[in-house]
Amino acid sequence: LKEIHEQAAVSAELLHWLESAQTVTPILERIQKARHLYLVGCGTSYHACLAGAVYFGSIAGRPAVPVLAPQFIAQYAPALSPKDVGIFVSQSGETKDVLNAIEAARRSGMTIYGLVNVIGSTLTQISERWLPLVCGYEISVPATKTFTNQVIAFLYLALHMGNVPPSSLARLPELMEQTLEKVEPQISLLEQYFTESRDMYGLGYGSTYPIALEGALKLKEVTYIHCEGMLSTEFKHGPLSAVDEGYPIIFIAGPEDVPLIVSGVNEVTCRGARAIVIAEENRQIRSNATNMITLPPAGSLFLPVTSIIPLQLLSYRLSVARGYD
Ligand code: M6R
């Protein structure tokens, strides 16, 4: 809970650091010339890679391939070349799966960059260049503040590469603070619907797809409730058949995706599911969802950063409510 509440402060630290960093420009110049750009990590760090790929593609017009570290070896190692760039993402900088992927990358001669929290870790020693996450110690095993700073670092790079002035980022720390204040009381009202659940889904689309996966991971990790994250449009291709009375499904909706998400909501509520939608206030969502968790207005750019906060808090609250220390 302490680290969830530190997120706004460490995001300000990161933005401040990035503004004065000498490493950002050479990294961006190299990425721009790369044949392929790979974003590689595990677990939560991989989910940040997914969000980064959405930002690079949609803001900077730079396709990026997000990939889980062990699969990077199996799928891409034989095809890598010195023309490629990999950004290897890790809180600890010591995850063996990531270090193994770097070993394979090194053999190909590709450029290796790191995005890492622990300075002095192996990842900082073996990367050509690295950017720090500037989060301070993350003591909690469930990653929270390092995830939001990983996503913000990718957003910063994508905005620069897309020649979009990153000045709008200055309001992000305050927005994260407002999000915490706004969602905390809403979560306390909703937790009762989940305490007895054994199974649920988190569904997102576009930039909230990685958030559905990350929210599901946090829920599983600390509440021991099985929760699967998925692209919302995939739900009808099979999993829909598992839905029955009261089945909890959390949707995360961007302002541009409202019609798509509402159609997904209706598909599950007509089978009796409880559809909880995390979104900015919206009349259409409010009248179709069973419950809504309202975010402060922020627009789609910041949505991956704000929308993970209620899922982190829900994980914490449910864990406490279920009696886990
Ligand atoms: O230190 P890393 O970021 O490389 O760790 C990778 C994963 O083990 C990690 O992100 C894990 O999924 C989270 N701690 C889960 O909350």
Side-chain angles (χ1 to χ4, degrees):
L1 187 63
K2 171 184 167 287
E3 289 178 356
I4 290 171
H5 279 269
E6 280 172 1
Q7 290 178 107
V10 298
S11 72
E13 295 279 333
L14 174 69
L15 291 170
H16 181 70
W17 189 92
L18 287 169
E19 273 308 299
S20 52
Q22 308 289 314
T23 20
V24 172
T25 309
I27 288 179
L28 285 173
E29 284 170 358
R30 177 68 190 90
I31 289 176
Q32 240 141 3
K33 287 192 236 128
R35 182 185 69 151
H36 296 306
L37 172 63
Y38 297 95
L39 311 179
V40 187
C42 296
T44 292
S45 296
Y46 166 67
H47 297 152
C49 293
L50 289 171
V54 174
Y55 282 143
F56 278 124
S58 62
I59 300 171
R62 162 82 248 194
V65 182
V67 55
L68 286 161
Q71 188 67 6
F72 174 76
I73 302 172
Q75 192 165 324
Y76 296 112
L80 300 174
S81 99
K83 295 180 191 151
D84 299 328
V85 173
I87 303 181
F88 294 82
V89 182
S90 173
Q91 185 287 125
S92 59
E94 299 295 350
T95 299
K96 190 72 171 82
D97 286 341
V98 175
L99 300 181
N100 288 345
I102 294 177
E103 201 36 56
R106 250 145 71 119
R107 284 196 289 272
S108 75
M110 75 186 275
T111 301
I112 294 161
Y113 293 144
L115 181 57
V116 54
N117 195 41
V118 179
I119 298 172
S121 61
T122 308
L123 179 51
T124 62
Q125 290 166 33
I126 61 179
S127 307
E128 218 165 284
R129 294 177 189 275
W130 50 273
L131 296 174
L133 292 168
V134 202
C135 290
Y137 288 113
E138 190 169 60
I139 308 287
S140 163
V141 170
T144 53
K145 58 179 179 172
T146 50
F147 174 72
T148 40
N149 268 13
Q150 286 165 346
V151 174
I152 292 167
F154 278 133
L155 174 58
Y156 184 92
L157 295 177
L159 289 171
H160 267 277
M161 201 182 288
N163 292 320
V164 184
S167 52
S168 59
L169 285 175
R171 64 183 279 252
L172 195 49
E174 200 192 329
L175 190 61
M176 291 168 82
E177 206 65 79
Q178 287 168 0
T179 306
L180 264 168
E181 275 169 33
K182 197 173 170 74
V183 301
E184 238 170 351
Q186 302 182 68
I187 299 289
S188 343
L189 291 175
L190 285 180
E191 67 185 59
Q192 54 176 308
Y193 299 118
F194 298 95
T195 39
E196 299 304 317
S197 303
R198 299 192 49 186
D199 195 23
M200 54 185 171
Y201 275 89
L203 305 180
Y205 177 80
S207 70
T208 66
Y209 165 57
I211 303 308
L213 300 192
E214 173 57 12
L217 176 63
K218 283 298 92 92
L219 281 157
K220 279 188 283 254
E221 192 175 22
V222 299
T223 71
Y224 313 147
I225 299 170
H226 172 251
C227 182
E228 196 173 332
M230 189 175 278
L231 192 73
S232 62
T233 53
E234 279 296 292
F235 197 68
K236 60 183 171 294
H237 297 292
L240 184 58
S241 61
V243 170
D244 58 9
E245 210 55 38
Y247 193 100
I249 303 176
I250 303 173
F251 290 84
I252 310 117
E256 282 115 48
D257 311 324
V258 171
L260 186 86
I261 295 291
V262 165
S263 134
V265 164
N266 291 331
E267 263 165 15
V268 301
T269 48
C270 72
R271 287 163 170 81
R274 173 172 291 278
I276 298 106
V277 184
I278 299 173
E280 291 176 18
E281 187 55 59
N282 178 285
R283 209 162 29 90
Q284 220 190 335
I285 292 179
R286 195 161 283 286
S287 56
N288 285 276
T290 321
N291 303 100
M292 200 178 161
I293 299 175
T294 317
L295 298 169
S300 48
L301 199 61
F302 298 144
L303 192 66
V305 180
T306 58
S307 61
I308 191 60
I309 292 174
L311 292 163
Q312 294 168 341
L313 277 173
L314 180 66
S315 306
Y316 169 77
R317 298 283 309 202
L318 278 184
S319 165
V320 174
R322 286 161 66 91
Y324 304 131
D325 182 346

